[in-house]
Amino acid sequence: MKDISVKDLEKTAVRMRMKVIDMIYKAQSEHPGDSLSAADFVTACYFKYMNLDPKNPCWPEPASSPKPTWTPCKCYASKNGKPKCIYAHTIKGKCVSFMENQCGWHGAAPNQEQYEQAMAELEAQLNNETGRKRQ
């Protein structure tokens, strides 16, 4: 487990969400909600709990098992003790007000105005201007 604060993890997740919105807008791709909802989980796994060596991706033990006590995540282990399934309760479109819990964003890309609003909201969260509560 790496030594990183919850606040630093939250900021990393916001930066990840900003990259997601930017890439989806520029590509006019779809499904921003899925990527936004996974940002907290991916950030915690990659930057806190997983044992990774980016310079040596094929090393014998590339990832250690996540802790089953994560909230809101649960890890179901197979007989050899390695995770076979990780269940995470996520919020679709998390941290972008008009995308959060809105199924319509499952197959749509933001327009220019929506892109600018999403980026402004995320930038404000990065700068701790929103007072947004952790969920």
Side-chain angles (χ1 to χ4, degrees):
M1 188 173 352
K2 300 169 191 135
D3 186 26
I4 184 170
S5 70
V6 171
K7 186 174 183 172
D8 286 341
L9 287 169
E10 289 173 341
K11 286 185 179 241
T12 299
V14 170
R15 287 186 199 96
M16 185 181 294
R17 287 185 175 95
M18 292 175 83
K19 288 179 183 181
V20 164
I21 292 293
D22 193 53
M23 288 186 291
I24 287 174
Y25 171 71
K26 287 177 180 173
Q28 280 302 288
S29 182
E30 301 174 353
H31 308 291
D34 301 341
S35 300
L36 294 174
S37 69
D40 291 330
F41 179 74
V42 171
T43 298
C45 284
Y46 192 83
F47 294 97
K48 177 87 175 165
Y49 295 103
M50 294 180 83
N51 250 342
L52 300 170
D53 182 356
K55 294 179 184 175
N56 187 9
C58 296
W59 68 319
E61 304 227 4
S64 63
S65 176
K67 304 297 179 246
T69 56
W70 282 359
T71 303
C73 305
K74 293 181 182 174
C75 178
Y76 300 97
S78 63
K79 290 179 184 178
N80 66 6
K82 294 189 179 187
K84 66 176 184 177
C85 173
I86 297 174
Y87 173 80
H89 177 76
T90 61
I91 299 168
K92 189 165 291 292
K94 186 175 178 190
C95 293
V96 176
S97 65
F98 60 92
M99 290 182 179
E100 200 165 287
N101 288 318
Q102 300 299 313
C103 292
W105 287 100
H106 183 70
N111 62 29
Q112 173 88 31
E113 181 181 340
Q114 293 162 330
Y115 167 77
E116 290 171 1
Q117 180 182 345
M119 294 299 277
E121 288 181 19
L122 292 167
E123 184 69 37
Q125 290 171 41
L126 191 60
N127 295 322
N128 294 323
E129 295 171 6
T130 63
R132 185 175 180 87
K133 292 181 183 175
R134 272 189 275 160
Q135 297 184 7

